[in-house]
Amino acid sequence: MDVPYLLEAASLLVPEENATENDVTVSDIWDYLAHDEWEIALGLLEELGDGPPLPLAFWESLADAADQLRLERSAAWCHWRCSEIRNGVIRADLTLRPAAAARRKTPVPGHGVLRPMWDIGHLSPTGGAAVSIAGLWVEDMPFLEPGGRATVRLVPLTPPQWTHVEAGQRITMHEDRSVAGTAVILEVHQPDGHHGRSPRTD
């Protein structure tokens, strides 16, 4: 399937009234497609995807187009958004432990390649902590340095284990038995596409 067809297919899934922060709409994107400005069209479609939720097919088409254009960052983001729709997503405020106090001495990659373990309150049969795995995407940053703080997106590997997680809850990140970081949940979006609970204000 060629890139123009994939971008056109994605465009058809965007309501005409949707617009980016700069008031770009899908009709503007059709102009770029008409002039074979595929990379620009892809980037604008990604921006439109930050608005009201769009279907899985939209992100699948963009992911395929980005793969064919060999745009690694865009491809990673679009595949990540597909995972969010399938598995749900939790946004959280994450603070990593400083290098002097943690095993990790290098930055955490920001583009979804790391799948750390998280203590979200489950217990093992022996009464110890039972961790759950979730992929990690750092918003607006290519990586997060030890001791750094950022808003992150978590995609659970096993969504049913995360149904009790709610805004305001504190969870810990692990790459081994030691604590690598602490996160406070900001938003929970379930994998059925409905928005989850809003952050608590108390």
Side-chain angles (χ1 to χ4, degrees), residues 53 77 80-92 134-139 151-159 162-163 165-167 171 185-197:
W77 174 239
W80 178 268
R81 291 301 298 268
C82 290
S83 297
E84 289 187 353
I85 293 171
R86 294 188 187 102
N87 288 22
V89 61
I90 294 103
R91 295 181 71 245
L136 172 68
W137 187 285
V138 182
E139 292 189 358
T151 300
V152 299
R153 305 169 80 95
L154 310 179
V155 166
L157 189 65
T158 309
W162 293 72
T163 54
V165 172
E166 61 181 13
I171 64 176
I185 304 300
L186 302 174
E187 301 173 25
V188 178
H189 300 275
Q190 300 297 343
D192 59 7
H194 296 300
H195 287 284
R197 295 160 287 235

Side-chain angles (χ1 to χ4, degrees), residues 7-188:
L7 296 177
E8 289 171 10
S11 299
L12 291 171
L13 296 171
V14 181
E16 291 183 8
E17 64 272 15
N18 287 21
T20 68
E21 290 184 356
N22 296 320
D23 292 324
V24 174
T25 65
V26 71
S27 61
D28 299 310
I29 292 171
W30 280 101
D31 290 337
Y32 287 109
L33 291 175
H35 292 91
D36 296 335
E37 299 281 358
W38 301 336
E39 190 170 337
I40 296 174
L42 173 62
L44 291 172
L45 284 166
E46 287 180 34
E47 287 188 45
L48 284 172
D50 290 335
L54 295 170
L56 178 60
F58 170 85
W59 289 107
E60 288 177 333
S61 292
L62 292 192
D64 287 346
D67 283 334
Q68 292 191 33
L69 291 169
R70 299 185 179 181
L71 300 172
E72 293 183 8
R73 172 66 174 76
S74 287
W77 174 239
C78 295
H79 283 295
W80 178 268
R81 291 301 298 268
C82 290
S83 297
E84 289 187 353
I85 293 171
R86 294 188 187 102
N87 288 22
V89 61
I90 294 103
R91 295 181 71 245
D93 181 359
L94 172 66
T95 302
L96 295 181
R97 295 184 71 190
R103 178 163 296 188
R104 172 177 282 276
K105 310 301 180 187
T106 58
V108 167
H111 295 162
V113 297
L114 193 68
R115 288 185 170 186
M117 299 171 287
W118 301 87
D119 182 351
I120 56 175
H122 291 302
L123 297 177
S124 69
T126 58
V131 294
S132 299
I133 297 173
L136 172 68
W137 187 285
V138 182
E139 292 189 358
D140 303 319
M141 298 169 66
F143 50 79
L144 183 59
E145 296 277 1
R149 177 180 177 183
T151 300
V152 299
R153 305 169 80 95
L154 310 179
V155 166
L157 189 65
T158 309
Q161 295 180 0
W162 293 72
T163 54
H164 69 289
V165 172
E166 61 181 13
Q169 184 174 342
R170 186 178 298 271
I171 64 176
T172 54
M173 170 180 156
H174 301 259
E175 293 186 84
D176 54 28
R177 290 191 175 188
S178 63
V179 175
T182 302
V184 177
I185 304 300
L186 302 174
E187 301 173 25
V188 178

